[in-house]
């Protein structure tokens, strides 16, 4: 039973390029959460998605960032026109339905470096 | 809003020493509380959790008790090992369905255990 799978593990992009981060939730999990970890800081919530729906995007920057979780395939976090300040570790977590307050399972993260 | 404050690190201990990492929270309602651990280069793993006041979460020799009167959830271990070296995050779950869906994380406490 594979856990939450994220790829790539490491991603290097030049300023102005696009970054696509993928997350496949655990089997049976239909809820996906994206978090960002900046150096020397804790994790900050970005967005919560269910299949084909964005439920809470209150932590997403207003520009350049978008997320989706299609009916088929992984969840994608997309960052357009990346800047140096986007360099961070991006973690995806998943949970089953009705898991309110239970806790999530995290992936190993994608470490984005913008040069 | 809900928030978590945990002691700053780094914490350096000798093997077999007693560990306490303080965590206090601010919340309305009755949120669940969690401790996550992050080993170098990896994602977060759920260490333990407590879902209501006076609950004690425990795992791998670590313990934390949900103290509503002091709004605390301090992490303790009686005898640490070198393999416990990691970053530990205290997290607060949503109080109810109107509190959003995100986990609120503390900034993390780095623990280094020396032989």
């Amino acid at each position: 039973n594979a856990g939450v799978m994220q790829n790539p593990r490491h991603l290097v992009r030049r300023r102005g390029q696009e970054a696509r981060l993928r997350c496949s939730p655990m089997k049976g999990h239909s809820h996906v959460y994206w978090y960002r970890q900046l150096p020397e800081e804790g994790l900050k919530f970005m967005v919560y998605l269910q299949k084909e729906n964005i439920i809470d995007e209150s932590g997403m920057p207003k520009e350049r960032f978008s997320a989706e979780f299609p009916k088929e395939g992984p969840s994608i976090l997309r960052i357009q026109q990346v800047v140096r300040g986007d360099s961070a570790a991006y973690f995806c977590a998943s949970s089953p339905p009705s898991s309110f307050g239970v806790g999530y399972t995290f992936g190993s993260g994608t470490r984005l470096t913008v040069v | 809003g809900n928030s978590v404050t945990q002691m700053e690190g780094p914490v350096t201990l000798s093997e077999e020493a007693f560990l306490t990492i303080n965590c206090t929270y601010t919340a309305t309602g009755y949120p669940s509380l969690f401790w996550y651990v992050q080993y170098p280069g990896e994602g977060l793993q759920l260490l333990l959790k407590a879902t209501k006041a006076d609950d004690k979460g425990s795992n791998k020799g670590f313990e934390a008790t949900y103290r509503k009167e002091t709004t605390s959830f301090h992490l303790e271990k009686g005898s640490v090992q070198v393999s416990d070296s990691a970053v530990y995050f205290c997290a607060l779950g949503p109080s109810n369905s109107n509190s959003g869906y995100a986990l609120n994380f503390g900034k993390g406490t780095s623990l280094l255990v020396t032989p």
Side-chain angles (χ1 to χ4, degrees):
Chain A
N1 182 22
V4 178
M5 304 301 293
Q6 289 189 250
N7 65 82
R9 289 292 301 270
H10 300 275
L11 181 62
V12 179
R13 285 287 179 266
R14 295 186 182 280
R15 282 179 294 169
Q17 291 185 318
E18 178 179 286
R20 279 182 179 247
L21 289 63
R22 296 176 194 79
C23 169
S24 296
M26 281 186 70
K27 188 175 181 180
H29 287 192
S30 56
H31 299 196
V32 167
Y33 313 81
W34 285 94
Y35 285 79
R36 176 165 64 174
Q37 183 179 33
L38 293 168
E40 308 303 323
E41 293 191 19
L43 276 74
K44 300 296 184 185
F45 169 75
M46 300 181 75
V47 62
Y48 161 44
L49 310 103
Q50 296 177 17
K51 287 281 187 182
E52 300 183 282
N53 280 304
I54 296 174
I55 307 301
D56 180 357
E57 58 181 349
S58 57
M60 286 280 271
K62 299 300 180 190
E63 298 178 347
R64 302 187 297 107
F65 285 72
S66 62
E68 63 177 10
F69 189 16
K71 187 176 181 181
E72 301 292 335
S75 175
I76 305 288
L77 179 66
R78 181 182 178 206
I79 311 172
Q80 296 178 289
Q81 299 175 328
V82 296
V83 301
R84 288 237 170 94
D86 297 332
S87 295
Y90 292 83
F91 291 97
C92 169
S94 72
S95 69
S98 304
S99 63
F100 184 78
V102 170
Y104 317 135
T105 301
F106 279 85
S108 296
T110 293
R111 282 149 183 84
L112 172 66
T113 302
V114 179
V115 297
Chain B
N2 293 2
S3 65
V4 173
T5 302
Q6 63 181 104
M7 64 185 285
E8 293 190 20
V11 174
T12 303
L13 294 173
S14 298
E15 204 165 23
E16 299 183 3
F18 184 85
L19 168 71
T20 300
I21 300 178
N22 289 341
C23 172
T24 56
Y25 67 91
T26 302
T28 56
Y30 304 96
S32 295
L33 296 167
F34 307 86
W35 277 100
Y36 280 83
V37 59
Q38 184 180 31
Y39 298 101
E42 297 186 12
L44 276 73
Q45 301 175 24
L46 179 64
L47 181 60
L48 53 84
K49 68 177 188 281
T51 57
K52 61 183 187 297
D54 300 325
D55 266 4
K56 177 186 283 189
S58 61
N59 186 25
K60 299 180 181 178
F62 291 90
E63 293 183 342
T65 301
Y66 190 156
R67 302 279 188 202
K68 193 160 179 64
E69 64 276 12
T70 55
T71 62
S72 65
F73 193 55
H74 304 323
L75 182 68
E76 296 181 336
K77 186 173 185 182
S79 176
V80 293
Q81 305 300 312
V82 172
S83 58
D84 293 327
S85 299
V87 180
Y88 292 82
F89 292 92
C90 184
L92 183 70
S95 298
N96 51 58
S97 60
N98 295 323
S99 303
Y101 303 90
L103 289 179
N104 280 296
F105 283 89
K107 290 191 174 183
T109 302
S110 176
L111 171 65
L112 176 64
V113 180
T114 58

